[in-house]
């Protein structure tokens, strides 16, 4: 048997190698019109950026190595220009000599791939209008940068456009990116691509979305040709550059197949069956040139990716060698790295589902990439699309780490035919550095299950019903940091007691930060007779749909500082808050700055998710953010202390609304560990912003202020009995739920320690250091038989309800816990 393969790289080379492994005696010949039979085309941008330092690393196999290893003739610089199906021959044009000759075949595999689209633009033939598709293309771009080019325009915001934009910026090139769509990376839906756009802007790429290049010119200057390219956009503006990289899509190289009379789709893809056979039973086709089966729709689709091409080559080779192997189709699973953000998808986007009129449901979620108490955890943005019968139709994930892991799991589930609810039951590897006991994949399955079984009605940010009431159930500080305009506000902990404030004749859409508390509110409302739903993905997803609302409503942060700081900048102090939980990072920053002199520099290392909160806090604190950047999964920043520090926004905490007093009063009535901790965390967060906080302890809340060991005092019998029955101090408090004779409380304290959550005594100390004032209720002390000597020295005052009423009257916020 003689097997001829037209084309190398992914599909052709893998087909040739597999065929040889199956048939040692077959005559196998591979023709490649380029000079390389197999190279890592996905690595080309990274050699331009010098991430891959050695050019030779991209050359997977030379003809000589291939011949020695496989005994296959790999003939480069030879283009097959015709196929005679009747005679079973191909015509080969030797590009070096110009000669033509015939080559016979018994079986033929087409792996002719695809080529970059080059639209009919004036000036497109300029030698500085480049593309990135082959090794020589890469060499030309890298040479321009090596020679000193410092400005480039990238046309196209797909995979290649994003990757070359990133790598040009890494080389210090100024980059403008032009994309005709209103978003980058069309394999994602628009809202899911927003973090990528933000990352591009953050790293200095100038975005021109929804714009087209209409002409490329090189104007005359003083009767000489200008060295600059001028790219005119459809809005009348002009971009100048030393060179441009065109990356606006690909088209299948199916001309050879068409001339041979093989069946093509409307988009010129070669039609193949599930054995990769074309309309001629002796001719197979693989890779970018074919239209393979879309596993979501079952219809032909062109999905030009290296993974499917390799697998198709293997299947075609097996069938050409007499085996019976089926290629089931592809999901188009893909992932891209863009600076410090990764994004990927599998299956269909919502946009494609709408175009196909296929019914679907969707959920958004924002889980942590791994256990939040282990340093470096970062949020993932996930979008899951599924049908009413639970079939998974598509998934999109964006984040700093863990994107590929979750994407691969869900893509595998889709290929295996698992339902969306099966995701909840998957047993996935867990250790704090890698994931969570309830992995994001499990969590996605649980949320989808709630939707399908009717426990939750999910409402999307762009489809809120008319006349619906939006209900924000976050904490006051979260609400003040930013909220949806017009939303009602009742914290989740108060909801059951304030139901009479809500209308029963309107649909209520509850929301929180990521969707969990919104779901809890929805369940409370539904079981109390309300027409309720949950805003899927919460406030974080709302910001993806509405990026203009991503800054605090009351006070926007100042513009970010440049990535680079002067080399001579002296750092007075360095701190690492990567393992601290909210509000720990901002409290530590504030404490350090208070000990520094104006003008001194504080260097900070923190989780990357701390970026927006840091910008908000510094922008309103009288300090200056002089440098901010990324170091792997972490954020690095330098802050210059100003002449005054008046913090106004912190990690999940915000200052009072405009016109409100900069004071807060908190009543702690409870002696439960969890409730006391919540009170102190809120107090610390407010105090860290400069809010003056008074805490009023009454009845069981007084136990928080008791000393562990108090001096002996004179008491009557009843007062002594009270003292024996009540917990003595913050270390002895129990959980309000699941105390389980001390086992549950002990477990909670252990978990808190593992997650770097401060203990209650530590929170009390932090509150005092931030100036929080402690007031004990005189009446409650008398009833419970407590005396001043039994309380902590840090108690500022013992007062009655009138004193508290005065505190509340002068405060912008009053909380009862």
């Amino acid at each position: 048997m003689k097997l001829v393969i037209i084309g190398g790289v992914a599909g052709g080379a893998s087909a040739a190698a597999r065929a040889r492994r199956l048939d040692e005696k077959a005559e196998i010949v591979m023709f490649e019109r380029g000079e390389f039979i197999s190279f890592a085309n996905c690595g080309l941008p990274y050699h331009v950026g010098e991430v891959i330092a050695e050019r030779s690393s991209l050359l997977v196999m030379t003809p000589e190595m291939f011949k020695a290893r496989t005994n296959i003739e790999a003939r480069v610089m030879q283009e097959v220009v015709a196929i005679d199906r009747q005679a079973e021959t191909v015509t080969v044009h030797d590009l070096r000599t110009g000669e033509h000759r015939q080559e016979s075949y018994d079986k033929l595999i087409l792996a002719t791939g695809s080529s970059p689209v080059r639209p009919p633009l004036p000036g497109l033939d300029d030698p500085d209008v480049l593309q990135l598709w082959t090794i020589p293309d890469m060499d030309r771009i890298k040479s321009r940068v090596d020679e000193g080019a410092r400005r480039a325009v990238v046309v196209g915001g797909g995979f290649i456009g994003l990757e070359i934009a990133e790598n040009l910026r890494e080389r210090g090139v100024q980059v403008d990116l032009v994309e005709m769509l209103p978003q980058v990376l069309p394999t994602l839906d628009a809202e899911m691509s927003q973090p990528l756009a933000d990352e591009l802007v953050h790293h200095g790429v100038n975005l021109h979305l929804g714009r087209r290049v209409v002409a490329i010119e090189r104007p005359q200057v003083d009767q000489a040709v200008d060295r600059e390219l001028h790219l005119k956009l459809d809005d009348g503006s002009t971009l100048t550059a030393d060179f441009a990289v065109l990356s606006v899509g690909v088209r299948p190289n199916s001309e050879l197949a068409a001339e041979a009379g093989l069946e093509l789709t409307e988009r010129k893809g070669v039609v193949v069956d599930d054995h990769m056979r074309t309309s001629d039973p002796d001719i197979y086709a693989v890779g970018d040139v074919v239209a393979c089966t879309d596993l979501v729709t079952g219809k032909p689709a062109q999905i030009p990716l290296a993974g499917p091409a390799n697998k198709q080559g293997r299947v075609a080779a097996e069938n050409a060698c007499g085996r019976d192997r089926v290629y089931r189709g592809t999901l188009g699973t893909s992932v891209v790295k863009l600076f410090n953000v990764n994004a990927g998808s599998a299956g269909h986007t919502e946009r494609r589902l709408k175009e196909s009129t296929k019914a679907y449901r969707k959920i958004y979620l924002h889980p942590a990439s791994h256990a939040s108490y282990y340093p470096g955890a970062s949020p993932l943005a996930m979008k899951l699309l599924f049908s009413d019968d639970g079939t998974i139709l598509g998934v999109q994930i964006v984040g700093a780490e863990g994107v590929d892991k979750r994407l691969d799991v869900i893509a595998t589930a889709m290929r295996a035919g698992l339902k969306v609810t099966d995701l909840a039951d998957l047993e996935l590897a867990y250790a704090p550095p890698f994931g969570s006991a309830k992995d994001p994949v499990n969590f996605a399955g649980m949320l989808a299950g709630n939707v399908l079984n009717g426990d939750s009605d999910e409402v999307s940010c762009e489809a809120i019903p008319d006349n619906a009431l939006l209900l924000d159930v976050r904490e006051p500080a979260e609400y003040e940091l930013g909220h949806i305009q017009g939303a009602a506000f009742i914290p989740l902990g108060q909801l059951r007691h304030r139901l009479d404030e809500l209308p029963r004749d309107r649909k209520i859409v509850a929301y929180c930060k990521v969707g969990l508390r919104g779901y809890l509110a929805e369940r409370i409302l539904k079981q109390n007779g309300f027409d309720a739903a949950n805003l899927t993905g919460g406030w974080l997803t709302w910001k993806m749909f509405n990026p203009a609302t991503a800054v605090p409503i009351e006070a926007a942060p100042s513009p970010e500082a440049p990535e680079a700081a002067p080399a001579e900048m002296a750092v007075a102090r360095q701190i690492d808050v990567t393992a601290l939980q909210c509000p720990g990072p901002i409290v530590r920053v504030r404490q350090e700055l208070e000990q520094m002199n104006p003008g001194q520099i504080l260097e900070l290392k923190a989780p990357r998710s701390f970026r927006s909160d840091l910008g908000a806090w510094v922008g309103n604190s009288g300090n200056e953010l002089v440098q901010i950047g990324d170091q792997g999964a972490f954020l690095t920043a330098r802050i210059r202390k100003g002449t005054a520090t008046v913090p106004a926004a912190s990690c999940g905490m915000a200052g009072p609304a405009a016109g409100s007093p900069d004071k807060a009063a908190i009543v702690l009535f409870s002696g439960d560990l969890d409730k006391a901790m919540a009170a102190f965390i809120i107090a610390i967060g407010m105090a860290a912003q400069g809010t003056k906080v008074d805490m009023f302890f009454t009845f069981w809340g007084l136990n928080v202020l008791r000393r562990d060991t108090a001096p002996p005092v004179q008491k009557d019998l009843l007062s002594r009995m009270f003292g024996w029955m009540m917990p003595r101090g913050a270390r002895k408090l129990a959980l309000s739920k699941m105390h389980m004779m001390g086992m549950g409380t002990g477990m909670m304290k252990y978990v808190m320690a593992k997650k770097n959550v401060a203990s209650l005594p530590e929170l009390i100390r932090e509150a005092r250091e931030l100036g929080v004032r402690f007031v004990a209720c005189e009446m409650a002390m008398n009833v419970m038989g407590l005396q001043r000597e039994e309380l902590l020295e840090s108690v500022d005052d013992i007062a009655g309800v009138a004193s508290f009423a005065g505190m509340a009257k002068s405060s912008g916020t009053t909380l009862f816990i």
Side-chain angles (χ1 to χ4, degrees), residues 413-436:
M414 293 173 72
R415 180 167 284 275
L418 299 183
K419 299 296 185 181
V420 69
T421 48
D422 293 324
L423 299 179
D425 300 325
L426 295 179
E427 187 175 344
L428 304 174
Y430 161 59
F434 305 107
S436 302

Side-chain angles (χ1 to χ4, degrees), residues 161-176:
L162 294 180
E163 289 170 349
I164 192 60
E166 173 192 20
N167 282 278
L168 289 174
R169 283 297 296 139
E170 296 289 5
R171 293 290 306 276
V173 177
Q174 177 185 315
V175 177
D176 286 89

Side-chain angles (χ1 to χ4, degrees), residues 51-70:
V51 177
I52 299 173
E54 297 297 328
R55 180 178 183 271
S56 59
S57 301
L58 301 173
L59 305 178
V60 179
M61 191 70 66
T62 65
E64 295 75 21
M65 292 169 58
F66 202 57
K67 173 68 174 177
R69 181 173 295 184
T70 65

Side-chain angles (χ1 to χ4, degrees), residues 663 665 667 694 696 773 775 799-811 813-814:
K663 295 178 65 178
V667 181
D694 291 319
F696 188 74
R773 186 166 174 263
V775 180
V801 68
S803 295
F804 171 73
M807 298 176 201
K809 186 174 182 180
S810 63
S811 296
T813 302
T814 302

Side-chain angles (χ1 to χ4, degrees), residues 376-575:
S378 58
L380 294 168
M382 300 177 65
K383 180 177 184 177
L384 194 62
L385 299 152
F386 52 96
S387 62
D388 285 337
D389 67 358
T391 300
I392 307 172
L393 303 176
V395 60
Q396 300 164 52
I397 310 177
V398 183
E401 67 163 18
V403 169
D404 55 337
K405 172 181 174 179
R406 277 66 188 217
L407 187 64
D408 286 345
V409 170
I410 296 177
T412 301
M414 293 173 72
R415 180 167 284 275
L418 299 183
K419 299 296 185 181
V420 69
T421 48
D422 293 324
L423 299 179
D425 300 325
L426 295 179
E427 187 175 344
L428 304 174
Y430 161 59
F434 305 107
S436 302
K438 185 192 296 181
D439 192 84
V441 172
N442 302 137
F443 193 33
M446 294 172 187
L447 291 182
N450 287 338
V451 172
L452 290 177
N453 64 26
D455 285 342
S456 180
D457 294 315
E458 299 289 308
V459 169
S460 179
C461 295
E462 82 281 18
I464 298 172
D466 294 338
N467 198 40
L469 174 67
L470 280 166
L471 176 61
D472 191 320
V473 297
R474 297 174 297 161
E475 293 304 307
E478 295 177 276
Y479 178 81
E480 292 171 0
L481 189 60
H483 56 265
I484 302 173
Q485 199 66 36
F489 173 56
I490 300 178
L492 180 64
Q494 302 177 22
L495 183 58
R496 289 182 176 88
H497 308 292
R498 297 174 60 181
L499 294 175
D500 57 349
E501 299 177 27
L502 298 172
R504 293 185 177 272
D505 58 348
R506 293 174 64 185
K507 190 176 191 69
I508 299 174
V509 179
Y511 79 89
C512 61
K513 182 177 181 179
V514 298
L516 176 58
R517 285 173 289 172
Y519 168 65
L520 299 177
E522 176 194 13
R523 296 300 302 158
I524 292 171
L525 292 169
K526 280 183 172 179
Q527 294 177 77
N528 280 278
F530 290 88
D531 179 11
N534 183 27
L535 187 68
T536 179
W539 168 246
L540 290 185
T541 300
W542 174 269
K543 291 198 294 184
M544 293 167 66
F545 275 94
N546 304 275
T549 66
V551 296
I553 290 174
E554 301 298 342
S558 58
E560 268 191 356
E563 290 294 325
E568 65 273 12
M569 181 183 296
V571 175
R573 290 175 181 253
Q574 293 178 310
I575 59 172

